[in-house]
Amino acid sequence: MEDSIQTESHFSKLYKAFSADGFKVKKRAYTESGMLGIEAKHMTAADRDTGKMKTSYYLEGNPYERGYLLGLLAEPEISDMSVNFVDNIIFDFIGLDFLNVFPLLQKLLVSFIHDISRSTWESQPKHIRDEVNGILNGCKKSNPKTPVTLSRLSIMNVGIDVLCALVYTGSFLRKQVPQLAPKDIHLAMMCNAFSIFGAAASGGHFFARDFMFASGGVLQKNLAHIICLPSKQDKVPLNPHVSITAPGMIGSISAMNIKGVAAGLNMSPAANCDIDHVGINSMLLLRESILYGSSASDSAEVVKDAKRGVSWNYVFSDGVSDTACTVEAGASLNNIDFLSYPPASLRPYLPDDKFLSSHEPAPFKNGTMTRWYGAPFPDIYFKFNAGLFEYYKARYNPWIRLYKDAFLPDGFINRTIEEKNCPSNFYFAPQRTQQDVFITTNHFLLPHMRLCAMDPWVALITIGKVNDLQWRYDELNHQVRQELIKNGSINYKTAKHLADYLSPYGKFPEYYEDNPKSSDGKDIRIEGCTSLFDLKNLTVESHFGYYKDKWVKTTLPAYF
């Protein structure tokens, strides 16, 4: 009787927390040990195309139990992701037009990705594999005829990193698929992140994530806030958190824990990848960092210590100590010859080994370097940029120009979205920042890591994106500066507007005009998710689906 009263009291608290966030509880499920899972539907926010209300989940227990509960509650969504998303995501990375022209190569490529994904899955930490096994068994319990399989779940969770490693290194693609040209590769790298705190936020702390990613026409309708209360793992307490992800995806595209640490990740193509040892990367590693990290520094160490095989930017914002950092990460390596990546013809314009070793901006650890807010940035590398710009101008693009303010903290390399002044990846990118503001997009900034992106193949596959990502970085910095000049500080409403600055109702309505449209043609799909975290009040508000869809919110402390 007493246990029953406690169970209902626990459920009642969660029911009230969902209600306060605008959700209505629709389902609940229990494990044999009494762990609780809840599915809640938003009362007003719906997906424009499906008409279904946005969903939030609450899960508790050990990894297997959390997975099992999610499988019981979200089998239809997990099926959609494991079948349709898994089938479509390859086509989003490598043009469908190309694959239709070469159907045999399509089968070869898909088979190869599946093979690498299976071996990569076996190298994942046991608790991640336990969670996926729980999902699978929960789906089977919910629907004995479910199309969800272990193979598809494993591909969904590691296949994106396998794809990235294949695409960034290019060795297999060029050898096995010589017909594939760099122009056939589509990289949806349009991510932004910023942290604003201290005086710039009037004592608040806002972390914004604009995570744009290939959706496969599936991700946008299944994204959700998943609130987790994890049990201790090997006697180690883990952090309760909210993860923005899709059911079936163990990892997070953005997340925040109860300790006030929020995290995001941005694609950052570079050649320092290892297709033979893909390891744990991107969304899986991001959630690991939130589970174990009680500060931005702790979370950064989780990334540094991991066995990784793909390059990404991992961004952490700490609402307790009011700081932020970006871990610029490639494959796990103890030593690296940074100058082995740029083309030989570029060497005369680059620093030599002696210069690199005597001007190291951050410690190199296991294939990573971390850029911290407030740490001195190595502006001395900018002296090489004049020669690099001239090199590129003489050989490839005589029309590029180098503005006098291009490498100042408040400058622009491209002053408009139409300009294309970047010499491909062949320059040392500036850091745009100011007091109590930290910004990250899709490129490595620390010079040593930047050299890894100067690989000729990487330059070819990113050539259509380099100018855009540099402009996005500079424009976001400019807009933040203008708001601070105008108002003195940035509040929640303004931070939300800045997070969404590229939306169709913003200053640049044409930016996403080529995104897929809703079935009625009247709205534009969000290829990813925009989120704003308030790290003092521990809330997160997210926008996914279509741009006219409503945002959804989670107030994390209310659930624990």
Side-chain angles (χ1 to χ4, degrees):
M1 180 66 176
E2 185 177 341
D3 288 344
S4 177
I5 292 172
Q6 289 178 346
T7 298
E8 285 308 309
S9 175
H10 179 42
F11 174 74
S12 178
K13 179 182 178 180
L14 294 169
Y15 186 96
K16 290 176 181 177
F18 276 118
S19 297
D21 283 333
F23 289 86
K24 186 173 183 179
V25 172
K26 292 294 184 179
K27 296 181 191 175
R28 58 172 158 168
Y30 292 94
T31 65
E32 290 184 3
S33 64
M35 294 295 106
L36 172 64
I38 294 174
E39 177 195 70
K41 296 288 185 180
H42 204 275
M43 289 182 270
T44 58
D47 181 274
R48 176 162 186 112
D49 254 356
T50 66
K52 294 180 179 179
M53 310 311 288
K54 309 281 184 178
T55 309
S56 183
Y57 300 92
Y58 170 87
L59 309 169
E60 61 187 30
N62 62 36
Y64 180 88
E65 289 170 325
R66 299 197 307 272
Y68 183 74
L69 289 167
L70 188 62
L72 289 177
L73 295 168
E75 189 276 333
E77 291 76 17
I78 297 168
S79 293
D80 193 22
M81 289 294 297
S82 64
V83 175
N84 297 315
F85 179 77
V86 166
D87 286 349
N88 294 348
I89 194 65
I90 297 172
F91 305 137
D92 268 12
F93 267 75
I94 298 176
L96 184 59
D97 292 340
F98 170 86
L99 292 174
N100 284 336
V101 171
F102 301 102
L104 292 178
L105 293 178
Q106 175 180 334
K107 291 181 179 179
L108 172 67
L109 188 60
V110 170
S111 175
F112 189 75
I113 290 169
H114 284 207
D115 287 343
I116 298 179
S117 295
R118 279 192 287 271
S119 61
T120 299
W121 179 248
E122 291 303 315
S123 70
Q124 300 305 304
K126 180 180 181 297
H127 63 270
I128 289 176
R129 289 180 282 123
D130 286 346
E131 193 166 346
V132 162
N133 284 325
I135 288 175
L136 178 61
N137 290 337
C139 286
K140 289 179 176 178
K141 179 72 173 179
S142 175
N143 175 14
K145 295 183 179 180
T146 184
V148 178
T149 64
L150 181 60
S151 174
R152 285 191 167 274
L153 287 171
S154 61
I155 292 167
M156 183 185 4
N157 280 284
V158 301
I160 289 167
D161 288 301
V162 169
L163 262 173
C164 286
L166 278 170
V167 168
Y168 296 171
T169 58
S171 55
F172 169 82
L173 294 176
R174 283 177 285 180
K175 184 183 296 183
Q176 301 294 332
V177 194
Q179 300 90 336
L180 181 69
K183 65 180 177 61
D184 296 313
I185 295 172
H186 302 162
L187 296 179
M189 51 177 204
M190 296 178 285
C191 305
N192 307 301
F194 65 76
S195 300
I196 301 176
F197 43 84
S202 294
H205 191 130
F206 306 118
F207 175 62
R209 289 285 300 123
D210 181 11
F211 180 80
M212 296 295 108
F213 192 71
S215 71
V218 178
L219 181 67
Q220 80 285 347
K221 59 183 177 178
N222 292 308
L223 282 168
H225 285 190
I226 299 183
I227 304 157
C228 290
L229 178 61
S231 302
K232 286 183 179 180
Q233 191 165 295
D234 298 325
K235 299 182 180 180
V236 176
L238 302 179
N239 293 315
H241 62 277
V242 56
S243 172
I244 294 92
T245 186
M249 278 186 168
I250 301 301
S252 310
I253 62 175
S254 304
M256 175 182 66
N257 65 32
I258 201 70
K259 300 294 180 63
V261 181
L265 72 159
N266 295 352
M267 294 179 71
S268 190
N272 51 332
C273 298
D274 185 353
I275 189 62
D276 294 320
H277 304 93
V278 174
I280 179 172
N281 305 270
S282 67
M283 290 174 260
L284 287 172
L285 184 51
L286 189 78
R287 198 197 63 165
E288 291 286 285
S289 68
I290 286 295
L291 271 171
Y292 290 96
S294 296
S295 66
S297 180
D298 288 347
S299 294
E301 289 300 317
V302 172
V303 172
K304 294 177 194 178
D305 291 339
K307 294 180 179 179
R308 305 170 318 278
V310 190
S311 58
W312 288 87
N313 279 332
Y314 298 87
V315 193
F316 300 104
S317 202
D318 189 326
V320 174
S321 59
D322 282 341
T323 191
C325 71
T326 297
V327 181
E328 299 185 0
S332 298
L333 299 168
N334 292 323
N335 297 292
I336 186 170
D337 180 2
F338 294 102
L339 290 172
S340 68
Y341 294 100
S345 59
L346 207 65
R347 293 285 181 85
Y349 308 93
L350 295 172
D352 58 20
D353 283 317
K354 183 178 179 180
F355 189 94
L356 290 174
S357 61
S358 59
H359 296 89
E360 191 173 80
F364 179 77
K365 179 181 179 181
N366 195 30
T368 73
M369 298 182 88
T370 303
R371 180 170 62 95
W372 279 97
Y373 165 76
F377 192 78
D379 296 350
I380 192 170
Y381 282 87
F382 295 162
K383 71 179 185 179
F384 296 97
N385 280 330
L388 291 167
F389 269 72
E390 286 303 315
Y391 164 88
Y392 193 82
K393 187 173 185 177
R395 288 163 177 77
Y396 303 108
N397 184 358
W399 296 281
I400 66 171
R401 60 186 301 187
L402 183 58
Y403 293 115
K404 290 183 178 180
D405 69 345
F407 301 105
L408 298 179
D410 59 347
F412 279 87
I413 291 179
N414 297 311
R415 290 180 176 170
T416 69
I417 196 171
E418 291 82 16
E419 284 191 313
K420 301 186 185 302
N421 292 320
C422 293
S424 184
N425 291 336
F426 305 142
Y427 68 104
F428 292 104
Q431 177 175 244
R432 310 298 193 196
T433 190
Q434 53 197 297
Q435 186 66 34
D436 298 335
V437 176
F438 185 81
I439 304 173
T440 300
T441 50
N442 295 103
H443 54 337
F444 288 156
L445 296 185
L446 296 175
H448 294 65
M449 300 300 287
R450 182 75 179 178
L451 288 166
C452 302
M454 294 187 189
D455 173 81
W457 172 258
V458 172
L460 285 173
I461 64 172
T462 59
I463 196 166
K465 297 290 185 180
V466 170
N467 284 287
D468 170 73
L469 73 87
Q470 183 67 60
W471 172 81
R472 276 188 287 109
Y473 186 49
D474 296 349
E475 178 62 27
L476 179 56
N477 177 59
H478 173 72
Q479 291 202 23
V480 172
R481 284 177 176 271
Q482 292 305 302
E483 289 291 345
L484 289 172
I485 290 170
K486 180 181 176 182
N487 299 311
S489 64
I490 288 171
N491 59 24
Y492 185 93
K493 181 179 179 181
T494 304
K496 185 175 175 179
H497 172 76
L498 289 167
D500 214 22
Y501 82 103
L502 292 173
S503 63
Y505 38 76
K507 186 178 177 181
F508 305 99
E510 75 286 353
Y511 190 81
Y512 289 125
E513 63 183 1
D514 292 333
N515 277 21
K517 307 298 188 294
S518 55
S519 55
D520 61 9
K522 295 180 180 180
D523 200 1
I524 296 174
R525 184 194 299 167
I526 302 173
E527 292 285 78
C529 178
T530 302
S531 295
L532 178 64
F533 298 83
D534 181 337
L535 296 186
K536 296 300 184 182
N537 295 304
L538 298 182
T539 66
V540 56
E541 201 172 358
S542 297
H543 197 200
F544 50 86
Y546 292 84
Y547 279 100
K548 291 180 182 178
D549 290 357
K550 291 183 179 181
W551 294 59
V552 298
K553 188 175 184 178
T554 292
T555 305
L556 194 58
Y559 296 85
F560 304 121

